[in-house]
Amino acid sequence: MKRMKDKRVAVIGAGSVGKGWGNEKAAAVRLAREGARVLCVDRKEAAASETAELIRAEGGEAQVLCADVTDKAAGEIVMNAMQAHWGGVDVLDYNVGISQRGGVLETSDASWDQIFEINLTAAMRLTRAVLPAMRAQNGGAIIYVSSLAAVYSAPYSYVSYEVSKAALVRLARSVARENAQYGIRANSILPGMIATPHVNAYVDKETSPETLAAQRAAMVPMGRQGTAWDIANATLFLASDEANYITGVDLRVDGGLTA
Ligand SMILES: NC(=O)c1ccc[n+]([C@@H]2O[C@H](COP(=O)([O-])OP(=O)(O)OC[C@H]3O[C@@H](n4cnc5c(N)ncnc54)[C@H](O)[C@@H]3O)[C@@H](O)[C@H]2O)c1
């Protein structure tokens, strides 16, 4: 029996910013391999289509939605698409996250607002859009991809990212508490040092990707970075009925970095 058979999943940020496997590109494929029907949502149509094509090439079911989460109507747009394709939603997987380096003194209001809009406020709006349908059917699972930065300080500062991701963890717990009575679970995942194209997209110009990878691996007790599949497997578990008594949890996937 497939672990996600017939589950209707919206993966928000289902593409990858570069070649290779991003966390939720891998999660979308992993969920589909277990029988989920996946709406691949991304602001870049090509990125969402690539993920959907990978799913279809393996015989899975996927649809594409080009939407930017900063659009205040994104929640309704996603929900309408889920209704139109499959008559509803069972899982919301919110993955979009951006960062900008800088401590309190270097961070402008505009930068802070932009990071919070994407990392937190949009997640809240998406949640608000799916909850009525999940409540009506008495069940659903929501996964927020936060970051270890919510609880752990890197050698450099990126305060808006750290604080927004910490708030996302709290959002998961608030949603979990408020909706447990409706059979809805909400959890967050805190990826540690994961080797994804996302990391290289934010590297400073002086550091080569190889140097960065070695530096990141050296920080981890396991001696290596994780892969997008580690996050995908955690997502699959939390999305599946195997986790049906788990809600309000912040799951660190970090190779022991915060052990
Ligand atoms: N890689 C790591 O080491 C690491 C560590 C901690 C947390 N994370 C978190 O993991 C997530 C990134 O995972 P990934 O590797 O799949 O990321 P990614 O950045 O490669 O992919 C995210 C996708 O989101 C899309 N996107 C960006 N802004 C959008 C918007 N406004 N509306 C709609 N789509 C948008 C991009 O086009 C991209 O396809 C982020 O939330 C990040 O904070 C990553």
Side-chain angles (χ1 to χ4, degrees):
M1 175 76 163
K2 291 194 168 181
R3 297 162 71 187
M4 294 295 293
K5 189 171 170 1
D6 294 335
K7 297 264 193 214
R8 301 157 298 179
V9 182
V11 176
I12 316 298
S16 178
V17 290
K19 278 196 191 324
W21 291 97
N23 292 330
E24 295 308 292
K25 181 176 171 183
V29 170
R30 187 78 181 88
L31 290 161
R33 282 178 185 164
E34 292 295 337
R37 294 172 279 176
V38 181
L39 181 69
C40 299
V41 184
D42 206 285
R43 70 174 169 178
K44 295 200 173 132
E45 184 150 19
S49 294
E50 192 188 324
T51 304
E53 279 310 318
L54 286 166
I55 291 171
R56 291 178 189 136
E58 295 185 359
E61 193 173 339
Q63 297 288 342
V64 171
L65 177 67
C66 181
D68 192 311
V69 297
T70 60
D71 178 347
K72 286 193 170 54
E76 283 65 45
I77 293 168
V78 168
M79 197 54 228
N80 288 343
M82 292 300 291
Q83 286 286 6
H85 292 306
W86 302 303
V89 61
D90 299 300
V91 177
L92 170 68
D93 182 15
Y94 189 85
N95 166 64
V96 181
I98 61 164
S99 63
Q100 240 163 49
R101 287 215 188 174
V104 171
L105 294 180
E106 294 84 37
T107 303
S108 66
D109 283 356
S111 161
W112 178 271
D113 288 348
Q114 189 201 8
I115 301 291
F116 268 71
E117 172 76 13
I118 290 175
N119 293 4
L120 181 66
T121 310
M124 212 288 280
R125 287 198 202 109
L126 262 298
T127 305
R128 201 166 52 204
V130 299
L131 277 178
M134 288 184 175
R135 283 187 177 193
Q137 70 198 13
N138 248 304
I142 303 177
I143 296 126
Y144 303 98
V145 178
S146 174
S147 169
L148 205 64
V151 295
Y152 174 85
S153 297
Y156 49 85
S157 191
Y158 46 168
V159 65
S160 51
Y161 183 74
E162 295 159 349
V163 180
S164 62
K165 289 294 194 178
L168 190 61
V169 169
R170 180 61 239 190
L171 177 66
R173 299 176 74 154
S174 298
V175 172
R177 187 72 182 81
E178 215 184 291
N179 293 281
Q181 63 187 305
Y182 302 104
I184 299 165
R185 300 181 297 100
N187 295 290
S188 60
I189 295 175
L190 281 61
M193 302 293 166
I194 312 296
T196 62
H198 176 98
V199 173
N200 290 334
Y202 287 104
V203 68
D204 58 51
K205 302 225 169 18
E206 294 85 60
T207 315
S208 72
E210 294 73 24
T211 305
L212 179 75
Q215 284 170 351
R216 286 166 62 90
M219 291 165 70
V220 183
M222 282 188 176
R224 61 180 171 80
Q225 294 191 83
T227 73
W229 298 103
D230 295 316
I231 306 307
N233 286 329
T235 303
L236 169 62
F237 171 63
L238 290 175
S240 77
D241 291 341
E242 291 158 25
N244 70 10
Y245 201 56
I246 299 176
T247 194
V249 159
D250 26 291
L251 179 59
R252 298 175 188 190
V253 183
D254 70 356
L257 192 56
T258 49

